[in-house]
Amino acid sequence: MAPESLPRPDIVVCSDARTLAVDAAHRFTALNAVAVRLGFPFNVALAGGRTPALLYSLLTVPPFRDAIDWSRTRLFLGDERCVAPDSQFSNFRMIRETLLDPLGYQAQDLVRIHGEDPDCNAAAVAYAADLARSFGSSIPRFDLVLLGMGPDGHCASLFPRKPSLRERSRWAIASEPGLEPFVPRVTLTLPVLNNAANVLFLVAGRDKAAALARVLNGPAAPDDLPSQSVQPANGTLTWLLDRAAATMMSR
Ligand code: 6PG
């Protein structure tokens, strides 16, 4: 049962992290085909962290690689750590290593957050300007936003009880970390996430089980559980879980 007053998302429990990644790859491919068939670019905000790495690797090999029109796919970051792009903590580095380089997708074609900028606020302003160049003056509407969830219920770099949760006008904002790596972040804000046509959470591992049960089955507590605030106003919301993460979910 979803928290009261929240619409129930689609929840899919996969046997393990690999079948979760395969399911996500099929969804990515299908959504790409819809956008391309309609003659539009396929705009994707990529998740950071570890979980999506397997999905990204799957997208670089058959059957998915050749089923996706990469020439019409525009890649963005959902959030970034304020570190150099070759840092072990960089989401861009993880994405470059697992997706861009194996695909031969020109790294400079991904619209990244310049985490190397010593001023995170300036990096957030610059990213919002890059988004405006891609989406125009109206709030970005991504065809697909990929998100992970931390064991504290955070998503992107929207951490519990942080000011960034309450941002309702800016599209990207500097955000304090709430979990390791304890480096400043830049993140898309909730208005952008909730303007997406499709949001897909990828959550695997037993360490997420308690937070996941609270987010999906517990009472509404969005300040403590930022992932609860991801409720696309005019889009789909799907949670792809592995069995380990779903162990504490009510039936
Ligand atoms: C980040 C991600 C973050 C991540 C979750 C889950 O920059 O770290 O945007 O929101 O998705 O922390 O991370 P794992 O997939 O590594 O568990």
Side-chain angles (χ1 to χ4, degrees):
M1 182 271 287
E4 62 277 5
S5 81
L6 294 177
R8 178 156 186 94
D10 289 331
I11 299 173
V12 177
V13 180
C14 305
S15 50
D16 55 32
R18 179 168 181 79
T19 51
L20 184 159
V22 170
D23 190 313
H26 281 294
R27 293 170 191 266
F28 185 107
T29 306
L31 289 172
N32 174 270
V34 168
V36 169
R37 198 164 45 242
L38 293 172
F40 296 115
F42 180 54
N43 294 311
V44 186
L46 297 172
R50 292 178 303 271
T51 304
L54 188 49
L55 162 62
Y56 298 154
S57 297
L58 280 174
L59 295 176
T60 68
V61 296
F64 303 107
R65 179 193 62 197
D66 309 321
I68 292 163
D69 183 340
W70 292 102
S71 69
R72 309 295 301 279
T73 300
R74 300 196 304 187
L75 300 175
F76 301 77
L77 288 184
D79 70 317
E80 182 57 286
R81 293 80 175 271
C82 293
V83 296
D86 59 355
S87 161
Q88 62 171 324
F89 298 120
S90 167
N91 285 334
F92 171 76
R93 174 177 166 179
M94 180 274 290
I95 292 164
R96 185 175 51 73
E97 290 175 347
T98 58
L99 181 64
L100 305 185
D101 289 354
L103 264 184
Y105 188 103
Q106 294 306 311
Q108 66 271 17
D109 291 340
L110 177 143
V111 183
R112 74 179 182 93
I113 298 165
H114 288 259
E116 67 275 21
D117 188 329
D119 180 345
C120 287
N121 291 303
V125 169
Y127 191 48
D130 287 341
L131 291 171
R133 267 188 286 280
S134 299
F135 291 93
S137 56
S138 53
I139 185 169
R141 179 169 171 79
F142 285 99
D143 296 286
L144 175 60
V145 169
L146 293 170
L147 290 173
M149 188 196 76
D152 60 349
H154 86 263
C155 61
S157 284
L158 298 167
F159 291 93
R161 297 173 296 283
K162 299 293 185 186
S164 54
L165 283 179
R166 286 179 284 285
E167 179 60 43
R168 291 296 179 268
S169 55
R170 284 178 287 179
W171 297 351
I173 191 172
S175 174
E176 299 164 37
L179 272 185
E180 72 284 343
F182 287 98
V183 295
R185 315 290 186 93
V186 172
T187 184
L188 291 178
T189 57
L190 282 169
V192 174
L193 301 182
N194 286 329
N195 195 47
N198 301 278
V199 175
L200 184 59
F201 272 95
L202 312 176
V203 185
R206 194 172 184 86
D207 63 319
K208 311 290 178 72
L212 193 66
R214 292 180 61 207
V215 166
L216 293 179
N217 293 155
D223 215 36
D224 295 324
L225 299 167
S227 295
Q228 268 187 349
S229 293
V230 178
Q231 300 289 339
N234 181 22
T236 70
L237 174 61
T238 305
W239 287 77
L240 284 186
L241 317 175
D242 72 353
R243 278 208 194 105
T247 46
M248 297 173 69
M249 293 281 293
S250 58
R251 292 285 168 257

